[in-house]
Structures are given as structure tokens and as C-alpha cells.
Amino acid sequence: MLERGEIANSWRRERWDSLRLLTPNSQSRLPGYRYDGDPDGFMTMPQVVDFISTYAAESGAPVRTHTEVLSVTRLDEGYRVVTSGGEIRCRTLVIASGACNAPVVPSLAAAVPPSVQCFTPFDYRSPASLPDGGVLVVGASATGVQLADEIQRSGRRVILAVGEHVRLPRTYRGRDVLWWMEASGVWNQRFDEIEDLDRARSLPSPQLVGTPERVTLDLNSLSAAGVELVGRLAAIRDGRALFSGGLKHLFALADLKMNRLLDTFDEWAREADVDSSAPERFEPTRAPASPRLGLDLGSGEIRSIVWATGFRPDYRWLDVPVLDRKGRLRHEGGVIADAPGLYAIGLPVLRRRKSTFIHGAEDDARDLVEHLAGSL
Ligand SMILES: Cc1cc2nc3c(=O)[nH]c(=O)nc-3n(C[C@H](O)[C@H](O)[C@H](O)COP(=O)(O)OP(=O)(O)OC[C@H]3O[C@@H](n4cnc5c(N)ncnc54)[C@H](O)[C@@H]3O)c2cc1C
């Protein structure tokens, strides 16, 4: 196992200070290992680092840290891996380098005037990272809503640009909503049973935050706290940010999808005779009466932009032609068909809806190892 940094590197280096997992401790599981704290709590970053480091030590994982993979090329049989610590030849190779190696920043960011400072979740640590003044947060998925909330609480003015998003309550019928995702089988749905797999793989992360109080962090709570909601950032022209209209429609769609998911939970609960409180429905997302469509970036109203517009993997070291036009690995449930012996793990909906979460690794690893052993 080759790791360019330290064990749990992404959790040590690439997260902001206040972050806690949005998955409850009951779902902090790795093969043969589980977190033994409060099942309903949410780990802080030092706790996650400790959890993964202890797992590595107890399982005796043969990790070579500070060993960066610089290139992988195909041989007649197997692969040649050039690393910062020498060369390795192997018959099979598993790409477990992560789905979130770099923040995605849209190309329109190039038109931001120099008076406005840009940040990504990789260089933002806390509100103190930002210059004084108002902040535009672009993107309202898990990262965007969490950062908008934290920055607003620090006493700054925050404008949040909202595109397509996935709304979820933190708790539903008395239990964590991710408990429902798991227990009802939604998270276990396999990649080959999903109708529009491409779409499932590109869905944004749910609007959730892990806090000791188990609060729901959605657009209603943000606007009640004073965050200004605007539409998707569509363009920056002559120093003006232009936002799409149609917020009402966007909100209605997210509410509809959330309610459909809650219907699925209710149906399962009925069939499985689950002992739980009555079904709930939540207030629809309130759209501002007339959300603004433009913002003069040179006016001083905002001094910084946080791009919470997603993350992407980085395969610059992979010299095997297995990427599609968008730079994504072409694979069938983690098996890379065009390159025998090459596998991937840890990507969105790799084999199941839960694949990209920590506890998703267990089932995917078992399936892939079976295939890998067979091919050897
Ligand atoms: C902000 C954020 C919050 C998240 N919150 C949660 C959550 O609450 N719960 C949850 O289950 N999941 C969460 N996730 C998803 C989380 O990333 C995955 O669950 C988990 O980290 C995936 O583990 P991984 O080992 O596949 O990838 P990573 O954790 O990204 O690990 C990949 C490793 O590969 C190393 N690497 C990359 N390239 C090379 C190279 N060329 N040579 C050598 N080493 C290399 C990296 O240094 C890194 O340590 C979150 C993700 C983000 C970005």
C-alpha cells in the first residue's frame, strides 16, 4: 500500500478545522473494525485520523508512507509503478487514491477581479482564513452549507449561490436519516440495478452537517440565520456575478426528491414493521421573494469567494488509457475492463450507493478482492 503522505492523509491535510463527519459513528466502520464511541455522535477530524491510524496498526496493513506514485504504465503482463521511493512491478493494481484529490473550480473563476480573494475547501481552515468583509459561497451541497453557516456565525455577511442540491433532514422519525438510508436498503442498491448510473454518480453530496446537537442544516435554517440565497452562479461579466433565476423551481425539485425518499423509508418501515415514531413531512424550502440576479464584485460588498463546487480525483500519474473524455475512470463496478488486473475503489456509486463513504469500503473491497484473486 503506497501513500504519498501519512496514513489518513486526506483527513489530516485537506479538511477545514471545524469539520466533523456527516456520517454518524455507527457508520464509521472498516472491515472487521468499528468505532466504539456514542453511535449517534459525529467524529471530529483528529478522531477520524486516530480511527484510521489505529485500524492500520491493528490490521498490520503494509503501508509505505511518504511514497508517491509518479507513474503507472502497462507491461505485457501487469504494471510498472514508478514511485518516489523506487520502482515496483505488479500483476494487479488497485487504484485507491481517492475521489476528492482536488477542489473543482469552474472556469468562470478566471474572471473574478483581483480585489476579491478566492478560496477552496482545501485552503479554507476557518473564518479567520478570510479577509474582512462579505463572502460569496458558491455551491450549496454539504461543504457549501456548512461553510456558509460557519462564516455567517462568525459575524460576516454571506451570500450563498445555490444550484442543484440534495436536501435531507438530520433526523427522521426519531432516528438519524443515514440510519434510514442504510436500514431501508437504499444505500445498498447496486450499481447494476440503478437506471441512470451516470446521474447517480454525479449527484451532489446531501445538505448535512454532523453536530453534537444533531441539527438540520438546510436552506431554511440558513436564510433564517441571515444568509442571502441567490441562484446558481451562471457567469461573471465585466466584474459582475450573474445568478440564474428559477430558485423556486430548484427548491421545489429538491423538496420533491426528499419527500420521495421519505416515502421510500415509510414504505419500508411499514413492511418491516419498524418500531418508530410517525412519518414526518418538513416545511417546503422558502424561496426569497425576489432573489437578486447580479452582484457587483468590485463594489466592496463581498471581499472573498469560497468555491464549494465539488471535488475531483487526480490521475495525472496514470499512464494507462482508461479515462473517459471527462477524465473519469472507465470501470464496471471497480473492474477496469480495458486493463486486466487494474481495479478501482472509493469512487461514487462504484458498486453500491454507499461506495464513496467510509463504511462503503467493506462490501466493495470483498467483491473486488474476490475478482482480483480469481484473475490472479
Ligand atoms: C469534505 C469531505 C467530507 C467528507 N465527509 C465524509 C463523511 O462524513 N463520511 C464519509 O463516510 N465520507 C466522507 N467523505 C468522503 C471520504 O472522502 C471518503 O469516505 C473516504 O475518505 C474515502 O477514502 P479513500 O481512501 O478512498 O480516499 P482518500 O481518503 O482521499 O485517500 C486516498 C489517499 O491516496 C493518497 N494518494 C493520492 N494520490 C496518490 C499518489 N499518486 N501516490 C500515493 N498516494 C496517493 C492520498 O494522499 C490519500 O491519503 C468526505 C469527503 C470530503 C471531501
Side-chain angles (χ1 to χ4, degrees):
M1 297 177 62
L2 307 178
E3 167 56 57
R4 63 183 168 186
E6 294 166 72
I7 289 172
N9 206 55
S10 59
W11 301 104
R12 289 174 196 270
R13 309 260 171 262
E14 296 166 1
R15 308 285 188 257
W16 55 98
D17 295 346
S18 66
L19 182 69
R20 284 177 183 259
L21 291 186
L22 54 74
T23 39
N25 292 336
S26 57
Q27 291 173 350
S28 288
R29 303 191 302 262
L30 287 166
Y33 186 67
R34 56 176 59 225
Y35 183 72
D36 55 11
D38 170 11
D40 292 326
F42 302 92
M43 281 192 219
T44 61
M45 290 306 101
Q47 287 171 325
V48 179
V49 169
D50 189 51
F51 174 74
I52 297 176
S53 306
T54 308
Y55 178 68
E58 286 188 6
S59 63
V63 187
R64 291 189 200 168
T65 53
H66 304 290
T67 306
E68 182 165 5
V69 173
L70 302 173
S71 80
V72 169
T73 45
R74 199 162 159 185
L75 301 169
D76 286 342
E77 204 184 326
Y79 296 90
R80 174 170 175 259
V81 182
V82 177
T83 81
S84 53
E87 191 182 309
I88 295 169
R89 282 163 192 250
C90 53
R91 285 171 63 196
T92 60
L93 188 131
V94 182
I95 300 174
S97 52
C100 304
N101 304 125
V104 171
V105 177
S107 54
L108 52 76
V112 173
S115 59
V116 174
Q117 232 177 303
C118 286
F119 294 82
T120 71
F122 274 31
D123 43 41
Y124 171 92
R125 285 286 166 273
S126 72
S129 312
L130 306 173
D132 286 342
V135 184
L136 171 65
V137 176
V138 183
S141 293
T143 301
V145 294
Q146 291 184 27
L147 297 189
D149 181 51
E150 163 165 295
I151 298 166
Q152 171 79 22
R153 281 170 195 277
S154 76
R156 287 154 199 265
R157 177 166 164 56
V158 175
I159 301 173
L160 177 62
V162 183
E164 191 197 352
H165 55 277
V166 176
R167 181 183 176 196
L168 284 183
R170 179 72 265 180
T171 54
Y172 183 61
R173 298 177 66 174
R175 291 188 160 100
D176 195 279
V177 74
L178 299 183
W179 178 89
W180 287 94
M181 288 291 279
E182 184 162 46
S184 67
V186 172
W187 250 355
N188 263 332
Q189 200 182 5
R190 285 174 52 99
F191 74 107
D192 44 9
E193 293 167 351
I194 295 173
E195 228 167 79
D196 191 347
L197 184 57
D198 244 13
R199 180 153 170 71
R201 285 184 170 158
S202 57
L203 271 184
S205 57
Q207 290 172 335
L208 283 176
V209 63
T211 62
E213 301 78 23
R214 301 166 82 198
V215 295
T216 291
L217 178 61
D218 60 12
L219 298 177
N220 282 348
S221 58
L222 285 173
S223 56
V227 171
E228 180 183 344
L229 305 180
V230 296
R232 204 174 68 86
L233 177 60
I236 297 177
R237 214 168 288 145
D238 302 327
R240 265 184 90 69
L242 306 177
F243 305 109
S244 306
L247 263 189
K248 257 192 196 148
H249 175 69
L250 203 65
F251 291 180
L253 197 67
D255 290 349
L256 179 82
K257 288 187 182 161
M258 174 180 71
N259 287 333
R260 271 198 207 139
L261 183 65
L262 302 181
D263 288 343
T264 307
F265 295 162
D266 293 339
E267 204 175 307
W268 166 77
R270 231 182 356 261
E271 279 166 16
D273 203 12
V274 172
D275 180 23
S276 131
S277 53
E280 297 172 76
R281 285 301 174 265
F282 300 91
E283 187 197 355
T285 310
R286 293 185 303 270
S290 47
R292 71 162 101 190
L293 298 173
L295 168 67
D296 180 357
L297 296 175
S299 67
E301 190 177 349
I302 62 144
R303 295 277 181 205
S304 53
I305 298 181
V306 179
W307 297 102
T309 32
F311 302 92
R312 63 175 173 79
D314 178 3
Y315 298 124
R316 280 176 299 183
W317 46 270
L318 184 60
D319 296 322
V320 185
V322 288
L323 302 183
D324 68 12
R325 275 185 304 118
K326 291 186 175 167
R328 298 171 303 194
L329 274 178
R330 284 193 310 265
H331 66 91
E332 265 293 296
V335 179
I336 299 176
D338 302 345
L342 197 59
Y343 296 86
I345 192 165
L347 300 179
V349 201
L350 182 97
R351 296 189 66 79
R352 293 168 180 84
R353 283 201 189 268
K354 65 182 177 186
S355 289
T356 197
F357 292 92
I358 293 171
H359 68 292
E362 180 161 27
D363 287 343
D364 286 4
R366 196 183 44 242
D367 290 355
L368 287 177
V369 167
E370 198 175 300
H371 192 289
L372 187 152
S375 94
L376 278 177

